[in-house]
Amino acid sequence: MDLKLKYAEKLIEVLQEPLPISDVYNLIETPKHSAHGDLAFPCFYLAKKVRKSPNMLAEQLAETLIDPLFTKVEAKGAYVNVFFSKMHISTTIITDIIEQKSRYGNSAIGENKTVVLDLSSPNIAKPFSMGHLRSTVIGNALANIAKKCGYKVVRINHVGDWGTQFGKLIIAYEKWGDFEKVKENPIQELFKLYITFHDEAEKTPSLEEEARRAFKLLEEGHQQYTELWEWFRSASLQMFLNIYQLLDIKFDSYHGEAFYNDKMEPVVNLLKENHLLEESDGAEVVRLDDLGLPPCLIKKKDGATLYATRDLAAALYRQETYQFDEALYIVGQEQSIHFQQVFAVLQKLGYKWAHHMKHIPFGLYLMNGKKMSSRKGHVVLLEEVLHEAIALAEKNIADRNPDITNKTEIAKAVGVGAIIFHDLKNERMNSISFSLQDMLTFEGDTGPYIQYTFARTQSILTKGKVTNDTFTGLDTEKSWEIIKLLQIFPKKIEKANEQCAPSVIAKYLLDLAKAFNQYYGKVKILHIDDDLHNRLSLVNAVAIVLAEGLSLLGIKAPKKM
Ligand code: ARG
């Protein structure tokens, strides 16, 4: 139930001048002090229309606004302040949540629509970077949120498995590679070879030419090179799968860049037919000067295709395969020009759907205030970070709760959840500072804090034995904060979806957990009296919403920890 909407509906009935409900809705404010009411309607705008003084109008409205929904309606200056009947509201909301369970907050905004999300997309033979982690967890949360809003969602891992760097890697492997070592530790070894190549190429520039030729041969299907490439690819993917397993994230497609090898010629032809392709220094480009963008490179001098060419082919393929209504690319902000170019070229080709493609950028991870870079081998290996977080979580849990069963499973949920939450609580574009200790504390704005609060609801519910008594309302000041928060969960999901901002959900969960823990500190929930079953229903509703909110973010909610 949306209280703002309820208030707007009641107001509409008594307004002298007809206003669209959305206008009224948008005018309604939340008073700074709850003593002034739950919601307030400012009369300035309407007063102008009906040529009355705002204060007088407020008086009049307050007098006519009589409804069992409100326990008090009060004119304060130019505002009409209302106080809701806590009994009435709490009954509706708690009953709704308990009835709908995890379906509470579902909406039909995306009904019959498909959204494809391009997320994670790490590069073969390179470490899975913190940037890829951000893309993975943000993208996964956005997919969950879209699904809750009724969309059909498709998660695509556009693996970076093609491009000139594979020429370099092949040459480096031929010159300095060691089969056993690569087999043992593919990503680290291949990445080392890649770095060696760059160091050597500084001394021997002809290596660059060799690598270019090797990539050209690879593109033409050279057998031995193809076999090497396939090996690099599958060995790297295996490592990435370990990470996805820890994060418990699945993709609908792993079609990476190489998948589009035979799908680029049609794109090039299409560009030619539309007279969009121009020559520039031997290369072929689409000029985007009219949009103030640098030209989009389609083919290099030697005929080799580029990252953008593959993204164009991928967009066409995805539209044909999924008929998407929206396409989101969750990729770091440093690629913003690239996506502007790709979308612009598709729009120039006349595709209407290209107007529904969006780049969803995000900020960097910082370590001691500096960018965490994978350059020159200063890599932070994500898999190690995850395992470290799990180990630390296990220690924390063992300290607090030595006899707990399933310790490993719970530690995994807490350690991984901590990392995901630490990312998602930040606004997408902000940089994040990396500190495992901060992520894993049970107090403060962390994932474990919310999981711990959920576990607390579970232990209360086990002790209190929930009955089937229907909820008959709670009329206490102490539970009111919680009720108000539970009530806005559906709105928060909509907002998170609209703004592609999982942080909206993360912050909401922190508010709800804090409100609940305050309640827990003040009220003897399990005290035996007539309201016991009502309080337990409230706890149950909080538990449902906490678990559902966490699951939207891709975080598990263990019953004990
Ligand atoms: N592999 C790329 C990188 O790591 C990201 C790919 C993003 N997706 C896309 N369709 N371009 O930088």
Side-chain angles (χ1 to χ4, degrees):
M1 181 167 49
D2 181 354
L3 291 184
K4 231 185 191 185
L5 188 63
K6 284 271 170 221
Y7 186 23
E9 282 168 4
K10 299 293 171 197
L11 271 166
I12 288 280
E13 289 170 18
V14 298
L15 291 184
Q16 292 129 328
E17 168 87 8
L19 276 186
I21 185 140
S22 56
D23 285 9
V24 176
Y25 183 91
N26 288 328
L27 283 170
I28 295 172
E29 298 173 10
T30 308
K32 282 215 178 61
H33 303 287
S34 51
H36 290 165
D38 297 312
L39 290 175
F41 177 70
C43 292
F44 306 103
Y45 173 72
L46 188 64
K48 222 177 192 170
K49 282 199 136 184
V50 296
R51 295 179 195 199
K52 278 194 180 146
S53 93
N55 292 27
M56 202 147 82
L57 186 65
E59 290 282 348
Q60 280 175 358
L61 284 176
E63 266 164 40
T64 36
L65 205 63
I66 298 160
D67 197 281
L69 192 61
F70 308 122
T71 49
K72 193 158 97 182
V73 182
E74 203 174 49
K76 255 219 152 37
Y79 289 82
V80 185
N81 297 349
V82 290
F83 296 77
F84 286 101
S85 151
K86 298 181 175 57
M87 212 62 168
H88 189 101
I89 308 276
S90 66
T91 308
T92 324
I93 289 162
I94 302 288
T95 319
D96 268 7
I97 297 175
I98 290 176
E99 222 171 73
Q100 299 174 16
K101 303 214 173 53
S102 65
R103 282 178 291 112
Y104 178 63
N106 283 13
S107 77
I109 303 171
E111 214 170 43
N112 301 322
K113 286 194 195 146
T114 299
V115 51
V116 301
L117 299 101
D118 183 308
L119 72 160
S120 197
S121 313
N123 300 319
I124 295 303
K126 286 200 188 159
F128 193 104
S129 72
M130 294 307 279
H132 294 120
L133 174 69
R134 293 216 68 190
S135 167
T136 311
V137 303
I138 294 172
N140 184 52
L142 291 178
N144 292 337
I145 292 166
K147 180 135 190 280
K148 186 132 180 104
C149 291
Y151 287 89
K152 183 170 179 273
V153 301
V154 183
R155 291 173 172 81
I156 302 177
N157 197 333
H158 189 75
V159 182
D161 56 4
W162 207 246
T164 36
Q165 70 270 29
F166 289 96
K168 297 178 185 171
L169 202 58
I170 285 169
I171 296 297
Y173 180 76
E174 281 190 331
K175 290 195 191 294
W176 313 292
D178 177 331
F179 174 77
E180 288 302 326
K181 275 193 185 161
V182 173
K183 205 173 140 210
E184 195 62 27
N185 219 336
I187 293 189
Q188 257 167 306
E189 281 306 315
L190 291 174
F191 189 52
K192 257 194 222 157
L193 284 172
Y194 188 69
I195 291 165
T196 310
F197 179 91
H198 279 275
D199 291 346
E200 293 296 322
E202 260 170 44
K203 289 176 261 167
T204 325
S206 64
L207 277 173
E208 296 281 357
E209 193 41 47
E210 256 185 86
R212 252 194 300 279
R213 234 178 300 131
F215 179 61
K216 192 93 207 341
L217 287 172
L218 181 66
E219 279 210 303
E220 284 160 8
H222 185 282
Q223 195 193 340
Q224 193 199 336
Y225 287 178
T226 306
E227 278 166 16
L228 267 183
W229 170 80
E230 271 168 2
W231 175 41
F232 296 161
R233 183 178 195 275
S234 63
S236 307
L237 268 186
Q238 198 48 52
M239 305 299 280
F240 298 152
L241 281 176
N242 294 341
I243 291 173
Y244 297 139
Q245 212 160 29
L246 280 174
L247 294 171
D248 197 15
I249 290 179
K250 294 196 180 61
F251 297 90
D252 300 290
S253 159
Y254 276 95
H255 287 330
E257 296 187 41
F259 176 77
Y260 299 100
N261 273 341
D262 60 354
K263 298 174 181 57
M264 283 184 284
E265 217 33 56
V267 176
V268 176
N269 292 336
L270 203 62
L271 292 170
K272 266 189 209 144
E273 282 161 28
N274 283 273
H275 310 291
L276 289 171
L277 221 50
E278 273 180 47
E279 214 207 272
S280 165
D281 283 335
E284 303 202 49
V285 307
V286 177
R287 292 213 164 276
L288 300 168
D289 308 15
D290 54 331
L291 299 165
L293 286 170
C296 183
L297 247 62
I298 303 294
K299 258 188 175 185
K300 282 196 189 171
K301 234 190 265 176
D302 61 4
T305 55
L306 289 128
Y307 184 51
T309 330
R310 291 186 278 283
D311 256 327
L312 290 170
L316 289 170
Y317 175 82
R318 289 173 191 176
Q319 178 53 229
E320 198 176 290
T321 311
Y322 306 109
Q323 285 96 43
F324 61 77
D325 299 278
E326 276 165 55
L328 305 180
Y329 292 80
I330 299 95
V331 187
Q333 54 189 336
E334 64 282 359
Q335 294 194 27
S336 125
I337 301 273
H338 163 75
F339 285 107
Q340 289 178 43
Q341 291 174 309
V342 169
F343 302 162
V345 171
L346 291 167
Q347 286 169 13
K348 277 191 191 284
L349 280 170
Y351 295 119
K352 294 256 182 328
W353 47 262
H355 294 275
H356 303 284
M357 304 175 85
K358 242 200 262 169
H359 175 211
I360 310 293
F362 48 79
L364 296 171
Y365 251 107
L366 302 178
M367 182 90 118
N368 308 323
K370 284 199 220 82
K371 182 182 173 189
M372 287 171 88
S373 131
S374 57
R375 283 260 135 170
K376 305 261 174 199
H378 303 303
V379 264
V380 180
L381 291 175
L382 177 64
E383 217 185 319
E384 281 172 20
V385 171
L386 285 167
H387 284 299
E388 211 175 308
I390 294 169
L392 209 56
E394 188 156 349
K395 199 181 152 295
N396 281 354
I397 293 165
D399 286 350
R400 298 176 149 248
N401 206 342
D403 316 315
I404 201 165
T405 48
N406 269 353
K407 216 176 289 165
T408 327
E409 202 48 35
I410 296 170
K412 199 180 128 185
V414 175
V416 172
I419 290 187
I420 298 179
F421 193 85
H422 184 71
D423 186 313
L424 296 182
K425 76 170 180 190
N426 291 285
E427 265 162 51
R428 203 168 18 85
M429 289 308 289
N430 291 352
S431 315
I432 304 180
S433 60
F434 183 86
S435 154
L436 272 184
Q437 286 296 348
D438 288 355
M439 291 179 195
L440 281 160
T441 49
F442 283 42
E443 281 90 39
D445 297 346
T446 64
Y449 171 70
I450 294 170
Q451 287 171 318
Y452 185 67
T453 308
F454 174 78
R456 173 172 274 169
T457 64
Q458 298 307 292
S459 96
I460 297 172
L461 292 174
T462 320
K463 281 188 206 135
K465 300 209 183 46
V466 198
T467 59
N468 277 332
D469 291 355
T470 37
F471 184 77
T472 48
L474 270 173
D475 182 19
T476 69
E477 220 35 72
K478 293 184 186 99
S479 57
W480 189 231
E481 253 338 283
I482 299 180
I483 301 283
K484 278 200 289 189
L485 282 167
L486 291 175
Q487 182 268 129
I488 54 173
F489 184 52
K491 271 266 161 276
K492 293 284 174 182
I493 297 168
E494 261 175 50
K495 185 172 167 198
N497 182 61
E498 211 174 272
Q499 305 181 346
C500 293
S503 64
V504 171
I505 306 283
K507 288 191 184 118
Y508 168 82
L509 289 175
L510 286 171
D511 289 344
L512 180 60
K514 278 176 200 161
F516 177 74
N517 286 323
Q518 266 172 21
Y519 179 76
Y520 176 83
K522 280 192 233 155
V523 176
K524 290 201 168 31
I525 301 178
L526 290 169
H527 182 72
I528 297 179
D529 63 14
D530 288 349
D531 256 346
L532 173 62
H533 78 279
N534 285 330
R535 286 193 300 273
L536 288 175
S537 294
L538 177 78
V539 177
N540 195 6
V542 169
I544 290 170
V545 172
L546 284 177
E548 181 60 9
L550 283 173
S551 126
L552 287 177
L553 300 183
I555 300 174
K556 300 221 156 51
K559 285 191 188 305
K560 285 188 185 158
M561 64 187 265

